[in-house]
Amino acid sequence: MSPSFKLQCHFILIFLVALRGESRYLELRQAADHDPFQFFSANLKRELAEEQLYRRALRCLDMLSVQGQFTFTADRPQLHCAAFFISEPEEFITIHYDLVSIDCQGGDFLKVFDGWILKGEKFPSSQDHPIPTTERYIDFCESGLSRRSIRSSQNVAMIFFRVHEAGNGFTLTVTTDPNLFPCNVISQTPNGRFTLVVPHQHRNCSFSIIYPVAIKISDLTLGHFNGLQLKKPSAGCGGKGDFVELLGGTGLDPSKMMPFADLCYPFHGPAQVKIGCDNTVVRMVSSGKHINRVTFEYRQLEPYELENPNGNSIPEFCLSTL
């Protein structure tokens, strides 16, 4: 991975859920040194769900993947803070303000962003999100408690906040709701399987894996024709209203990534592509005329695969940045 994005991903992975009980927390933290995705395990989530409402303090830089109530209290001026929230792919995230005590007139702020931002790059991109970028920011200092609950459009959301005076802060509760047709998703794990379905909707959907991975597509339904086309500078699927593209890049925004392959026509796989980039995206563009579906598996590439890439008939554009 490139050093800058690797550092960002490391931040995302280490600021994960804290557990009630110091001994259990230390045990899992030691395990996370070897496997950061331990914190995303199903067993942990079941363990927390069986307890009463999970509560803990919120850090100036934080990452949360569980529901619960979180309180930030400044112990000194905190001027550059952010908390990232992520849920399962098939869930929306709701952030509810329980109590807010900040000085908006004195320069404090508390903003929710519908998605994630890292180094100026957004997920979902502006092209893939259903609402304009300016409306994705909800500023407490402008709306107050008139918008006490804010629901994301996908499985990720975040807050930015600044608190000057010690003792000030806020409490919020994070919950999730089912999303029957998840569109834009960031995967919590480097390995998995997913089916992206867009039912007669004119929209673009991206599934992001923040790792170099091998993508194996087992089924693609677009409602017209058959076949697989690799990306060429002079050809592609741009003239068709429904297609899937495989993207890779070193940032978070799919619109700024390199296209590796276009899948213009339905087929029953498997078809596999290895993408040695910091971030890999499966993106579906839909005209709304069909029920489009793509099923794929993904796994993190082994170090030897990055050192000696083979099995692709397309250039490994990202490998030079590793």
Side-chain angles (χ1 to χ4, degrees):
M1 289 187 181
S2 62
S4 62
F5 196 72
K6 186 174 183 180
L7 181 62
Q8 296 170 44
C9 295
H10 183 61
F11 159 73
I12 290 175
L13 295 175
I14 63 176
F15 285 106
L16 302 176
V17 292
L19 300 179
R20 189 171 301 161
E22 185 175 358
S23 61
R24 176 68 171 145
Y25 172 71
L26 292 175
E27 174 188 339
L28 283 175
R29 182 165 183 175
Q30 291 172 355
D33 290 339
H34 304 286
D35 180 10
F37 286 103
Q38 166 76 24
F39 283 104
F40 286 136
S41 72
N43 289 337
L44 168 59
K45 293 185 178 181
R46 281 196 297 269
E47 176 183 321
L48 293 174
E50 290 170 359
E51 299 181 5
Q52 295 181 347
L53 180 65
Y54 176 62
R55 293 181 174 86
R56 78 158 170 84
L58 191 68
R59 295 183 274 268
C60 177
L61 293 176
D62 217 332
M63 172 73 188
L64 296 161
S65 65
V66 294
Q67 302 179 69
Q69 187 177 72
F70 307 96
T71 299
F72 177 80
T73 304
D75 57 357
R76 63 183 185 279
Q78 298 281 12
L79 306 182
H80 305 285
C81 298
F84 295 80
F85 303 97
I86 186 168
S87 64
E88 296 297 329
E90 300 87 359
E91 293 177 336
F92 297 112
I93 296 171
T94 296
I95 299 172
H96 178 81
Y97 294 131
D98 298 308
L99 176 67
V100 180
S101 177
I102 63 175
D103 183 5
C104 294
Q105 299 300 318
D108 292 357
F109 62 75
L110 173 59
K111 299 179 182 181
V112 174
F113 181 73
D114 189 4
W116 276 6
I117 298 179
L118 287 173
K119 294 187 74 69
E121 294 202 8
K122 300 180 292 295
F123 183 91
S125 68
S126 300
Q127 291 92 327
D128 294 348
H129 202 277
I131 63 176
T133 300
T134 54
E135 296 179 20
R136 294 168 66 180
Y137 293 89
I138 299 94
D139 189 341
F140 173 83
C141 289
E142 293 180 0
S143 62
L145 293 178
S146 64
R147 292 197 65 177
R148 195 162 197 146
S149 293
I150 301 162
R151 193 175 82 165
S152 69
S153 303
Q154 61 286 310
N155 79 319
V156 292
M158 67 183 298
I159 60 172
F160 303 93
F161 53 98
R162 173 184 296 167
V163 182
H164 287 84
E165 186 174 340
N168 281 354
F170 54 88
T171 296
L172 52 83
T173 297
V174 176
T175 58
T176 61
D177 299 297
N179 180 0
L180 296 180
F181 295 103
C183 180
N184 294 301
V185 174
I186 291 182
S187 176
Q188 293 187 12
T189 64
N191 306 288
R193 177 184 174 90
F194 193 77
T195 298
L196 186 61
V197 181
V198 182
H200 293 294
Q201 294 177 326
H202 181 41
R203 64 189 310 192
N204 304 329
C205 298
S206 294
F207 188 97
S208 172
I209 309 131
I210 308 180
Y211 275 95
V213 296
I215 299 281
K216 181 187 290 185
I217 296 176
S218 58
D219 186 72
L220 176 62
T221 302
L222 293 173
H224 54 79
F225 310 114
N226 278 299
L228 170 67
Q229 234 179 267
L230 293 180
K231 187 73 176 181
K232 298 178 182 179
S234 59
C237 300
K240 301 184 177 4
D242 302 88
F243 62 92
V244 168
E245 55 184 353
L246 305 181
L247 309 172
T250 56
L252 195 65
D253 192 328
S255 68
K256 298 180 180 180
M257 292 183 182
M258 175 73 69
F260 274 71
D262 281 349
L263 291 77
C264 306
Y265 309 106
F267 71 94
H268 298 287
Q272 177 170 293
V273 177
K274 294 179 180 179
I275 301 180
C277 296
D278 296 348
N279 193 8
T280 303
V281 167
V282 178
R283 182 172 183 263
M284 176 176 281
V285 176
S286 296
S287 65
K289 298 178 181 179
H290 309 284
I291 298 177
N292 295 328
R293 178 189 296 107
V294 60
T295 298
F296 56 92
E297 299 177 21
Y298 53 98
R299 63 167 180 83
Q300 184 177 2
L301 293 178
E302 300 292 341
Y304 75 87
E305 294 178 282
L306 294 172
E307 294 170 2
N308 301 294
N310 57 60
N312 277 2
S313 59
I314 54 176
E316 292 286 359
F317 296 102
C318 293
L319 289 174
S320 61
T321 68
L322 295 175

